[in-house]
Amino acid sequence: MDARNEMLSLIRSRRQGWSLEQPFYTDPDFFRLDMELIWYRDWLFVGHDCEVAKPGSFFTVQIGTYPVVVVRDREGKIRAFHNSCRHRGSRVCTTAKGTSARLVCPYHQWTYDLDGKLLFARQMADDFDPSAHSLKPVACESVAGYVFICLADEPADFQPFRTLMEPYFAPHKLSEAKVAYESTIIEKGNWKLVWENNRECYHCAGNHPELCKTFPEAPNVTGISGAESDPEMVAHWQKCEAAGLPARFRIDGAGQFRATRAPLLRDAVSYTMTGKPSVKRNLSDRVNADRIGTLMLYHYPATWNHVLIDHAVTFRVIPLGPEETAVTTKWLVNKDAVEGVDYDLQELIHVWTETNDQDRRIVEENAFGIRSPAYEPGPYSELHEGGVIQFMEWYAHFMEPRLSEGAKPRLKNVA
């Protein structure tokens, strides 16, 4: 049986509320299908508006086999292009980020404007047409300070996500913030294991002593049900909404993205060891309420987020292989905040730096065990792992119709 039909068969026969069969986490052909049917077809968070604050500012990102460059053009629009020269295919931008008046391929100096148009290609034939050799565009959208791209020729409608997400995030003015610090760790596990670990706090008490000082372990915080019947959660929503901050749990119909606010523990206002603010300047002057807790967002398959009153922590997931995933974390603060004056960098990043490394070890041990020939799927906790169950439902429901598009028809048995 080919990989597509095998994956389709396993998805159709899977046991709901249980983890997946081993090939979903280890098999190179299954990984290729994940890339082709999800990562190359859906909207992916790649970075922030503030990382391309001025015309000519750019950053690069690698999605599977696709190198991409994101740049702000002369009119202030954020664009994305395939980072492949139209001459012989060399990468045009070879650094992670930078600023340039033009995009110049280092191989033969073909030069592109910030809108992707080819401006200069030396010593080409007289009939060479520069207009036919612009950089190939990648669909790109910016919302409330977040930049998303989609590699598909016909991207899905971005508007439903914008409609849900923007009212929650716009008050925090992340488009005007700055990145105080960023780190990338490589987790030696499949990207779905990274997400499974993220979507529950069943493991938190035994693994995250720093995070558990401020972040609640309640399953209705990481899950998708129960919050409406929690008096503390409802009271928190009402308090935030009275201050003009959308807060209630909202999820899209397909389960791909959701936003909600949740209170932190006791009197905590920030992810620090004391619970006190880590930055003296709030992210936004539009947010004046105290103890707004954390604004949480996920958008499968590429990002989860926490936005607090004083800073934001954003996470980007990118698969590198069947059993290797890059997780990039960025800490955003007020654009006028000064390190050493308004915040201590180590205090700002300590909780999530430790938590990320703990999660890395968890994912790698999970992956190590799954490689065993003795591995078989196990049941999730309905109480604590509702978020994981929801993630798996999203994955299966997204993959099944896409796999069916190219699946080979089953041959009838001939007597």
Side-chain angles (χ1 to χ4, degrees):
M1 184 184 297
D2 68 280
R4 182 182 290 262
N5 279 281
E6 181 184 2
M7 179 184 275
L8 181 59
S9 176
L10 289 174
I11 283 179
R12 286 175 171 170
S13 63
R14 74 186 180 92
R15 192 169 179 177
Q16 291 189 347
W18 290 55
S19 57
L20 296 172
E21 297 284 350
Q22 186 183 61
F24 287 94
Y25 303 114
T26 61
D27 187 87
D29 290 330
F30 276 41
F31 174 75
R32 176 181 54 80
L33 289 167
D34 277 356
M35 297 303 293
E36 291 178 0
L37 301 181
I38 292 182
W39 292 88
Y40 297 162
R41 289 175 61 165
D42 286 291
W43 287 99
L44 308 173
F45 165 67
V46 289
H48 294 284
D49 296 41
C50 63
E51 297 180 78
V52 284
K54 300 177 181 179
S57 299
F58 69 86
F59 64 82
T60 57
V61 62
Q62 184 80 24
I63 310 295
T65 54
Y66 290 90
V68 175
V69 57
V70 176
V71 61
R72 191 180 291 270
D73 71 14
R74 300 185 194 285
E75 284 68 49
K77 181 178 180 180
I78 299 176
R79 298 175 178 268
F81 301 99
H82 289 283
N83 191 11
S84 178
C85 184
R86 295 299 308 282
H87 177 210
R88 287 170 55 188
S90 178
R91 282 195 303 168
V92 176
C93 298
T94 59
T95 57
K97 58 187 65 178
T99 302
S100 178
R102 303 281 190 274
L103 304 181
V104 182
C105 178
Y107 197 0
H108 301 96
Q109 291 73 56
W110 278 36
T111 303
Y112 302 87
D113 206 349
L114 301 178
D115 62 3
K117 293 179 182 176
L118 179 63
L119 297 176
F120 174 71
R122 60 189 176 89
Q123 299 177 344
M124 297 299 289
D126 292 340
D127 61 351
F128 175 74
D129 180 9
S131 66
H133 295 83
S134 300
L135 291 175
K136 291 185 177 182
V138 173
C140 183
E141 295 281 354
S142 170
V143 54
Y146 285 70
V147 179
F148 284 75
I149 64 169
C150 182
L151 294 163
D153 293 333
E154 297 182 7
D157 186 6
F158 189 76
Q159 190 58 42
F161 175 68
R162 182 185 297 277
T163 299
L164 186 149
M165 179 267 204
E166 193 164 28
Y168 286 81
F169 283 77
H172 296 278
K173 299 173 70 171
L174 293 181
S175 60
E176 301 175 25
K178 68 178 180 181
V179 176
Y181 189 77
E182 93 175 64
S183 72
T184 296
I185 61 174
I186 307 301
E187 301 189 11
K188 295 187 182 303
N190 186 269
W191 69 275
K192 294 186 290 297
L193 291 181
V194 173
W195 269 108
E196 288 186 59
N197 179 61
N198 171 263
R199 298 306 312 124
E200 49 91 355
C201 216
Y202 192 22
H203 71 280
C204 289
N207 294 277
H208 297 319
E210 295 83 5
L211 183 63
C212 285
K213 289 183 178 295
T214 55
F215 185 73
E217 300 172 66
N220 60 19
V221 174
T222 53
I224 62 166
S225 63
E228 294 83 356
S229 59
D230 181 342
E232 182 182 5
M233 187 74 80
V234 172
H236 183 71
W237 290 345
Q238 292 172 342
K239 175 184 176 181
C240 291
E241 289 166 354
L245 301 174
R248 293 178 186 273
F249 178 93
R250 289 189 62 197
I251 188 169
D252 102 289
Q256 187 171 19
F257 48 86
R258 74 97 162 93
T260 190
R261 294 184 192 270
L264 299 182
L265 294 177
R266 296 175 289 279
D267 295 325
V269 297
S270 189
Y271 290 133
T272 59
M273 296 300 288
T274 62
K276 296 179 179 179
S278 58
V279 186
K280 293 178 182 178
R281 292 175 179 262
N282 285 348
L283 265 175
S284 169
D285 55 11
R286 292 174 58 186
V287 179
N288 298 312
D290 295 326
R291 295 188 62 199
I292 62 171
T294 176
L295 169 58
M296 297 182 294
L297 168 80
Y298 66 66
H299 185 294
Y300 300 145
T303 187
W304 67 83
N305 302 262
H306 291 263
V307 180
L308 306 117
I309 195 166
D310 63 330
H311 74 281
V313 192
T314 69
F315 302 83
R316 185 185 71 192
V317 177
I318 296 181
L320 302 180
E323 298 180 272
E324 195 169 67
T325 306
V327 178
T328 297
T329 308
K330 297 178 183 180
W331 287 260
L332 279 68
V333 299
N334 186 297
K335 63 182 175 60
D336 296 320
V338 178
E339 182 183 349
V341 177
D342 296 305
Y343 64 94
D344 176 83
L345 184 60
Q346 290 306 311
E347 182 183 40
L348 174 70
I349 69 173
H350 177 72
V351 169
W352 277 108
T353 298
E354 294 299 310
T355 302
N356 284 346
D357 191 55
Q358 292 152 5
D359 280 330
R360 176 191 60 78
R361 295 197 298 270
I362 290 167
V363 168
E364 292 180 355
E365 287 299 329
N366 196 177
F368 201 95
I370 285 174
R371 295 186 197 107
S372 169
Y375 166 79
E376 60 183 58
Y380 298 122
S381 164
E382 292 185 5
L383 174 62
H384 290 283
E385 296 175 298
V388 188
I389 294 171
Q390 187 274 330
F391 168 68
M392 280 304 172
E393 290 300 302
W394 167 81
Y395 174 76
H397 291 157
F398 256 56
M399 288 295 282
E400 183 174 355
R402 298 178 183 196
L403 287 164
S404 299
E405 293 170 4
K408 296 178 181 179
R410 293 181 178 179
L411 298 177
K412 295 181 179 180
N413 291 327
V414 179

